[in-house]
Amino acid sequence: MGNEEAVFYSRVLTELTLSFHIIYATIGVGVPLMIMIAQWVGIKKNDEHYILLARRWARGFVITVAVGVVTGTAIGMQLSLLWPNFMELAGNVIALPLFLETFAFFFEAIFLGIYLYTWDRFENQKKHLLLLIPVAIGASASAVFITIVNAFMNAPQGFDVLNGELVNINPLLAMFNPAMPTKVAHVVVTAYMTAAFVLAAIAAFRLLKGSNHIYHKKALFLTMKVGLVFSIAAAIIGDFSGKYLAEYQPEKLAAAEWHFETEENAPLILYGVLDNGEVKYAIKIPFALSILAHFNPTAEVIGLDQFPEDEIPPLYIHYLFDFMVTIGVWMTLLSLVYWLGIQMRWKLVHSKLFRWLIVLGGPLSILAIEAGWWLAEVGRQPWILRGLMRVEDAATTSGHVDTMLILFSGLYLVLGVGSIVVLTRMFRRNPVEQELEDRHATKGADIS
């Protein structure tokens, strides 16, 4: 296997691992917050349905955590095996957030274990709820620290390069780089948003399949409401991300927006096709790119004409950006219509069609997360460490990466199918109606 092939397979394997891991990582970050909100609402309203909601979500969450641990470990291993030159150069600088991410996970896992095994040990449910706070903090902190590593790759700082060696290393300065605030905020908020819409899709699916239980209706209302709040937050942070790119990574913004020439009053281009460098069939929103980049409709936006040919990211990231934004806007509108419909008592939001749209929103939200990550990673090309190290210079020269790709593909297939089968059986064998009946029977026996 030649060096070019090793680079290609290293990229494919890394993309496969990240694409698979991000599903479980997103659920892992978002669901603890959803469990905490459900249990808090249940305690506040003295409503057993919300308490049961938290309990059942927590059971399913454990399965996704287990898979997330395996794939997260795979990423750590692949960083060293597939990108040794990158780790040799940057390992000293970004070791701190990598260590902190591991610490955050153990912090989460310890309290999650205590939380799960003490469900019926607390007379005061509020004390039990307190155990969820470190779980939610640990889950979100894991996302924060690992995203800091990614942000560092986009805006490296906190060191000097002298004769090819890193000197004057300042890990904290490296962690708090210019890409960090918007990247971390966007990842965490979209994880909350996606987890809410995935759980909403499950509730809507159960209602469509004939279970008209009030439990599922409450689950749907809670998740859609939370999803609406975080989808609005994601849109606001996305706007800040555009302004960050305009200042620090203008080539990425220009490639994502097919902005070829530096100009003022820049329009935002949605969809369309490229025909010999000319954009056709696109929707152009006047002044919108200038507003996104600089909050000024007449501001100048740097185009791709300012960059060398070999430093321009692949132009197909334009479609990734469009796909991500389209789904984000669609889910915001869908959840807004649902919330208004409940307030105004519209029959539309209880219709089969509307509930199927909510079911579809779950996988669409996951796909939007995938598109966002591909945009983030591919949009940095050709750099692995922007401005310092190219991808081909960072990769391994091993001739066995293709074998690794086959082995890891098999592992992810087993993990993916296995987790779906286990989760499906877990909830199918223990339906809500049966669980509520058993709980009432247990309470009745306790009273007598």
Side-chain angles (χ1 to χ4, degrees):
M1 184 190 288
N3 191 39
E4 279 186 22
E5 279 182 295
V7 173
F8 172 75
Y9 284 117
S10 295
R11 288 186 66 179
V12 172
L13 179 51
T14 306
E15 183 169 13
L16 176 68
T17 304
L18 278 171
S19 299
F20 186 72
H21 175 71
I22 199 67
I23 298 169
Y24 292 90
T26 299
I27 291 167
V29 172
V31 169
L33 182 72
M34 296 302 301
I35 297 169
M36 195 163 77
I37 291 170
Q39 195 167 342
W40 177 72
V41 171
I43 293 166
K44 193 181 170 192
K45 293 188 172 184
N46 195 22
D47 189 323
E48 66 173 347
H49 293 130
Y50 287 108
I51 300 283
L52 183 60
L53 198 58
R55 193 167 191 157
R56 287 171 69 85
W57 284 347
R59 278 189 217 133
F61 174 61
V62 174
I63 308 300
T64 60
V65 167
V67 179
V69 170
V70 177
T71 53
T73 306
I75 289 171
M77 188 169 72
Q78 286 173 21
L79 271 175
S80 298
L81 289 175
L82 302 179
W83 310 104
N85 298 336
F86 165 72
M87 289 304 288
E88 189 183 351
L89 181 72
N92 295 331
V93 190
I94 57 165
L96 180 59
L98 286 170
F99 166 75
L100 289 171
E101 193 272 336
T102 309
F103 174 78
F105 169 73
F106 281 121
F107 185 67
E108 173 196 359
I110 289 163
F111 281 96
L112 177 63
I114 298 168
Y115 171 79
L116 288 168
Y117 288 108
T118 55
W119 256 107
D120 300 311
R121 304 289 175 92
F122 286 94
E123 283 185 29
N124 185 347
Q125 276 285 321
K126 287 179 182 174
K127 289 179 182 175
H128 189 235
L129 176 66
L130 290 175
L131 289 169
L132 270 177
I133 296 171
V135 177
I137 290 172
S140 297
S142 289
V144 168
F145 292 128
I146 210 68
T147 309
I148 283 173
V149 176
N150 187 268
F152 169 78
M153 293 161 76
N154 286 279
Q157 66 172 36
F159 59 89
D160 295 317
V161 181
L162 194 65
N163 302 325
E165 302 259 328
L166 294 193
V167 295
N168 302 330
I169 292 169
N170 184 336
L172 287 176
L173 193 61
M175 282 175 69
F176 293 96
N177 57 72
M180 190 275 281
T182 51
K183 212 166 212 356
V184 165
H186 198 64
V187 165
V188 173
V189 165
T190 51
Y192 295 155
M193 166 188 161
T194 303
F197 287 135
V198 167
L199 294 172
I202 295 167
F205 185 73
R206 293 304 307 140
L207 287 167
L208 280 164
K209 288 297 169 183
S211 176
N212 209 30
H213 202 284
I214 187 71
Y215 166 93
H216 296 301
K217 290 178 180 175
K218 286 177 180 177
L220 185 59
F221 179 68
L222 178 70
T223 49
M224 288 297 277
K225 203 168 158 185
V226 173
L228 173 62
V229 171
F230 285 114
S231 59
I232 293 167
I236 294 166
I237 294 163
D239 179 68
F240 284 116
S241 298
K243 286 163 181 52
Y244 157 77
L245 288 177
E247 188 170 348
Y248 293 97
Q249 286 181 276
E251 74 285 359
K252 188 173 181 176
L253 181 68
E257 299 299 342
W258 284 354
H259 185 63
F260 294 103
E261 292 179 13
T262 304
E263 62 178 355
E264 297 175 352
N265 313 319
L268 186 72
I269 293 173
L270 292 172
Y271 317 112
V273 292
L274 274 180
D275 185 11
N276 293 325
E278 191 182 338
V279 181
K280 290 184 175 177
Y281 316 115
I283 299 168
K284 289 190 180 182
I285 306 170
F287 309 109
L289 184 56
S290 289
I291 294 168
L292 175 68
H294 302 290
F295 211 61
N296 177 354
T298 61
E300 182 179 82
V301 181
I302 296 169
L304 292 174
D305 57 348
Q306 301 295 311
F307 302 97
E309 192 81 24
D310 64 343
E311 289 183 17
I312 293 175
L315 295 178
Y316 72 80
I317 64 170
H318 172 73
Y319 294 118
L320 298 175
F321 175 82
D322 286 351
F323 186 71
M324 177 185 70
V325 170
T326 302
I327 292 174
V329 171
W330 168 249
M331 292 311 298
T332 307
L333 291 173
L334 192 70
S335 51
L336 181 62
V337 169
Y338 177 83
W339 181 76
L340 287 172
I342 294 293
Q343 303 301 316
M344 310 281 192
R345 300 191 177 179
W346 296 341
K347 287 183 180 177
L348 166 73
V349 296
H350 302 296
S351 68
K352 275 194 171 185
L353 173 63
F354 197 85
R355 281 177 178 167
W356 274 117
L357 290 176
I358 294 171
V359 171
L360 188 63
L364 278 178
S365 298
I366 293 285
L367 287 173
I369 289 279
E370 295 282 13
W373 265 106
W374 294 339
L375 171 65
E377 296 303 285
V378 179
R380 191 179 59 246
Q381 300 304 313
W383 307 104
I384 192 167
L385 200 58
R386 186 178 178 268
L388 290 173
M389 180 180 271
R390 289 174 179 263
V391 170
E392 62 262 28
D393 299 327
T396 180
T397 53
S398 168
H400 304 289
V401 187
D402 51 350
T403 310
M404 277 181 71
L405 177 60
I406 294 165
L407 291 172
F408 275 104
S409 298
L411 173 67
Y412 301 150
L413 185 65
V414 170
L415 288 172
V417 172
S419 60
I420 291 166
V421 169
V422 170
L423 285 167
T424 307
R425 286 186 179 176
M426 181 190 286
F427 291 106
R428 191 173 284 162
R429 289 177 180 177
N430 194 16
V432 172
E433 294 82 357
Q434 184 65 48
E435 193 159 348
L436 282 165
E437 214 173 283
D438 292 347
R439 286 174 70 79
H440 289 154
T442 307
K443 278 184 184 176
D446 290 344
I447 292 166
S448 59

